[in-house]
Amino acid sequence: YQVLDGAGTPVSSVLGTGVSSFQENALTPNTSYTRKVRAWVCFASGDSATASRATLTKVPASAQLLNVYESSGTAGWAAYPAAPPSDTAGGYRLEASLTSAFGAILSSATTSLAASTLTVSALDANTTYYWRVGALNTDGFYNYTLLPATPTLAKPVGASQVAGTFM
């Protein structure tokens, strides 16, 4: 087997028959690559269909939680430039989850490249959330960076909840 780019130029050396995967290094972020596999049999060869996939963007730089209130949280990061494509993104997404596996999430997203903050709302008060912010690549996949797990604020005590006289 041998991995080739879309034009048929070898990307790998000839791989042994027991090899079932190939890792390509030094790829440019947020860039589409086309590859195919050539199979060698005796004195003949055949190529697979080509497949194209974009690499992930760089993770958002300087990402941090800016504010966490009773029912919302806001994160910020350094906005990406508009060019070159390897240094940019198609948008951003902020996610909050009750678990570090990010199963059920609350989120906010934008395709505005100039945006440097997003807010997630509808959070429960006095509850710890796991946070992450990601940048969108040209294939529609996010590359996330984790933010610290942080609890939302408790609801304030109302006047009707305070009883008695204190001295």
Side-chain angles (χ1 to χ4, degrees), residues 7-164:
T9 304
V11 174
S12 74
S13 59
V14 175
L15 306 170
T17 58
V19 175
S20 60
S21 66
F22 170 74
Q23 180 175 328
E24 188 173 350
N25 298 315
L27 299 174
T28 304
N30 201 32
T31 303
S32 185
Y33 290 90
T34 301
R35 300 292 183 256
K36 59 185 171 183
V37 175
R38 177 166 291 156
W40 299 89
V41 180
C42 296
F43 297 104
S45 65
D47 293 350
S48 69
T50 58
S52 295
R53 190 56 73 191
T55 54
L56 293 174
T57 61
K58 297 175 184 175
V59 295
S62 305
Q64 60 184 328
L65 280 174
L66 301 175
N67 299 303
V68 177
Y69 299 108
E70 294 169 31
S71 62
S72 68
T74 300
W77 55 88
Y80 286 24
S86 61
D87 289 335
T88 192
Y92 310 100
R93 181 179 176 104
L94 176 63
E95 294 182 352
S97 177
L98 295 172
T99 68
S100 61
F102 288 88
I105 60 167
L106 294 168
S107 67
S108 178
T110 182
T111 56
S112 170
L113 198 54
S116 61
T117 64
L118 280 171
T119 299
V120 172
S121 302
L123 304 176
D124 293 329
N126 200 30
T127 304
T128 297
Y129 285 90
Y130 294 85
W131 297 87
R132 65 184 181 180
V133 62
L136 181 66
N137 78 353
T138 58
D139 277 353
F141 294 98
Y142 288 91
N143 193 13
Y144 291 98
T145 186
L146 295 174
L147 303 173
T150 305
T152 53
L153 298 178
K155 291 183 180 180
V157 176
S160 64
Q161 294 172 305
V162 179

